Amino acid sequence: MSAGAKERSGDAGAPVDQALGEALRAVLGPLARLALAKGVPFAVLEEMLKETFVDEALKAQPAQAPSRLVSRISVATGLNRREVTRLTREQRATRAVRQAPAAEVFARWQTDPLYLDEAGVPRALPRVAGPAGGPSFESLAQGVTRDVHPRSLLDELCRLGVACLDAGSDEVSLLRNAFVPSDAQTAMLGFLGDNVGDHLAAAVSNVLAAEPPHFEQAVFADELSAESIERMRGFVLGQWTALMKSAVPMLEDLIEEDRQAGRPQDRRLRIGLYSYAEVAGSAASPIPTEPNRE
């Protein structure tokens, strides 16, 4: 059993490469989980990561002649000069990363008259074509790509909650009319980017600076029951309510004081509180060998 408080990640005596690798994996794991849950393919994340590498490398470069900038960013990121040039902000508006095959199947199902009924609504499709032929999910999927088995695309659409397979009739139906988050989901994703982005920026700044400039600590414990987790959830909610009631009026007063004093109001602040609980020792399941399926 362990309980205590942690201020900064990492062990000063551990090998730097190992500690850094473990930290990066811990950060990338939830991002990969979110991308998989939302049907975002690796190619899209890879492109975003390349763009972000170039942006951050550009911020880190001292002022110098533009002719040397591409070379320095190439050295810093490991990307070749052509890639660095391609990934500059000026070039991004004209580029588009190909959608995931499942998203392309969804889009064709929504727009191809062959797969729509008289009212223009995507029709339920037999999983495979019958003796008489005709439109089927298999023909729809193969019309998009022959690099991925139609059953794998069907499984992915079902996993994402976009389609479902009726085992009795062996028909596939669409469940949603959009392959994008709802308005509520969009707001939640916005909070995720803002809150986690600032938290991670604070933690990274603390690791890279000689003296940590941001407050970033955590209390941790294991060997707790589900009932105890629920009790702590209520405790954390109470602490957050108290913090918010104290912080918001104080921030409003400070904003007004700065305005009255004529001080430059060019800084922003985010104060957050979070809790996270899971079954201890949970690990990823091994990937089984996939048999051929129709």
Side-chain angles (χ1 to χ4, degrees), residues 34-88:
L34 176 63
L36 288 168
K38 297 301 181 182
V40 178
F42 172 75
V44 173
L45 282 187
E46 181 183 36
E47 189 74 358
M48 290 180 183
L49 186 59
K50 286 181 179 180
E51 291 175 351
T52 306
F53 257 61
V54 170
D55 290 346
E56 293 299 320
L58 181 60
K59 293 176 187 177
Q61 300 302 319
Q64 58 185 286
S67 59
R68 296 185 56 198
L69 195 57
V70 170
S71 294
R72 290 183 66 96
I73 293 176
S74 176
V75 171
T77 63
L79 298 168
N80 62 49
R81 288 169 54 89
R82 180 176 296 180
E83 275 287 87
V84 170
T85 302
R86 183 183 72 83
L87 291 163
T88 56

Side-chain angles (χ1 to χ4, degrees), residues 182-195:
S182 64
D183 290 342
Q185 278 274 292
T186 300
M188 289 297 292
L189 290 171
F191 286 132
L192 185 152
D194 292 341
N195 293 340

